[in-house]
Amino acid sequence: MATNVSAHAKGCLVSSFLLASFLFSAGCNHTASTNPATPPEITFIGWGPATQRELSMDQSVFDEFTRKTGIRVDFIPGPESMTERLELYQRYLAAKSSTPDVYYIDVVWPAVLADQVVDLNQYLAKESADELETEVRNDTVHGRLTAMPFNTELGVLYYRADLLRKYGYANPPATWDELEKMATRIQAGERAGGNQEFWGYVWQGAAYEGLTCNALEWEMSYGGGRIIEADGSITVNNPHTIEAIKRARRWIGTISPPSVIAFKEQDARNVFHAGNAAFERDWLWRQFSEESLVPNPKGTIAIGLLPGGPAGRASTLGGQSLAISKYSHHPQEAAALVRYLTSHDEQLTLWKKHAMLPTRSEFYASPEYLQDRPGIAQLWKELGAVTVARPSTVSGEYYDQVSRAYFSSVHAILAGEQDAQTAMSELQTKLEKITGGKPGPPPGGDAVH
């Protein structure tokens, strides 16, 4: 039964590969309950692996749902890498496995998974009217509500406010030039003070979806475009994008550790929260909780916009939605869980306790909610002007292939395996073949052919 799958799976988190292999085989063997008097158990796969504190919080969410409805939930944490997570999901769905029932999906996956998930209009049409229109539109593919918006994320800069004060800086860096100067000076000072493990800036450089998000921010801040523009033109091969990625390459081994090209979110957080970095690029969600900032004292870590380049600042839009497998034996119960998780009360609880940015429209229409976290409220207003979406809508079902090609090419540059000009030229050709799009210049710039 699913309870055994969960217990065993949670003990096999030594690697994403082992997790994926075990859950895939176990999920295919799952059978529905034969006791009509017992509410069915549904399986939720999603966020994680995380810290024990986060896992405990997550389980409490499901325990409360069970108390209120009688429906039990088997919670399975997914791989940290969104790229590996999508691979796992696609294996389940390709096998038409009845479990998991509910999937925690990335904001860029609706079109990729559209044919294998339930149209939620039949269960949650009324509730979807309370969500942000842009989020619902993102999750709607060919008129089908493939998923229910759950939370929003945006790329931001975390920084050691105490160290900025120590070295005489009144404000966080506004540009990449300032970031480099400040990171270099603080890094040198902290190493001279005895911390040889200290670095100026940590971010996500592994070959996975997180690198697509980082690189898109660099590219946009340099005026290099959105990889693929709204009209379908492929604009990635241009001098602005090339210069932006070459700059990031120079960070490695200078202000960023050589191992940053293998970093995912938790790797960067571990370095930063251990007190071994001045700046960190991460998502605006959960990590703002003071309890997570040990061993640093309260008040030492602050948050702001990512630095900008010649074309200004950019912050990649992220977030997750909840989808139900069309192979689920219990779609109504699964819809009840989705309804609960996206309800006003539950979204308010997650916002107050963990700074999870909600997707319900009333949180942004009524200032009383944002007053709970005034720092984030102000930052949210500023982020609205610099937010950039990955090209998932224009790429549709091909987005996963587009992103893989993009982050693989960027990673090859960062790792010194390929020069930027060659890598971007070859990427341009790959993207044209994947999407059928034509080459074009980025907005306000010239393409390279």
Side-chain angles (χ1 to χ4, degrees), residues 118-121 124-125 128 136 139-141 143-149:
V118 169
D119 180 1
L120 294 181
N121 280 314
L124 301 168
S128 68
V136 173
D139 289 354
T140 301
V141 180
R144 299 175 67 252
L145 183 60
T146 63
M148 191 75 157

Side-chain angles (χ1 to χ4, degrees), residues 325-340:
S325 167
K326 73 176 185 179
Y327 310 112
S328 168
H329 290 168
H330 309 294
Q332 291 187 348
E333 290 80 6
L337 175 61
V338 174
R339 182 181 297 109
Y340 173 78

Side-chain angles (χ1 to χ4, degrees), residues 51-58 286 289 291-292 354:
T51 66
Q52 186 59 46
R53 182 185 65 83
E54 289 171 330
L55 286 175
S56 297
M57 181 279 293
D58 296 337
R286 275 199 181 178
S289 166
E291 304 91 80
S292 70
H354 306 284

Side-chain angles (χ1 to χ4, degrees), residues 154-232:
L154 290 161
V156 293
L157 183 74
Y158 290 82
Y159 61 94
R160 287 283 300 276
D162 59 327
L163 292 182
L164 264 62
R165 291 191 294 269
K166 177 180 177 180
Y167 290 91
Y169 298 114
N171 299 296
T175 66
W176 295 120
D177 284 341
E178 291 181 2
L179 173 76
E180 290 178 358
K181 293 176 182 177
M182 294 167 70
T184 298
R185 183 171 174 224
I186 295 173
Q187 177 178 301
E190 292 303 292
R191 289 188 177 186
N195 186 356
Q196 297 302 313
E197 302 297 319
F198 195 91
W199 290 94
Y201 183 42
V202 290
W203 37 281
Q204 297 79 43
Y208 79 119
E209 186 67 26
L211 180 54
T212 293
C213 299
N214 279 254
L216 180 58
E217 290 161 351
W218 308 333
E219 181 177 338
M220 282 293 293
S221 74
Y222 264 74
R226 301 170 183 263
I227 308 170
I228 302 176
E229 304 307 317
D231 63 1

Side-chain angles (χ1 to χ4, degrees), residues 246-259:
K246 286 171 66 176
R247 178 168 211 161
R249 172 73 180 91
R250 294 194 295 269
W251 295 337
I252 301 169
T254 56
I255 61 171
S256 300
S259 57

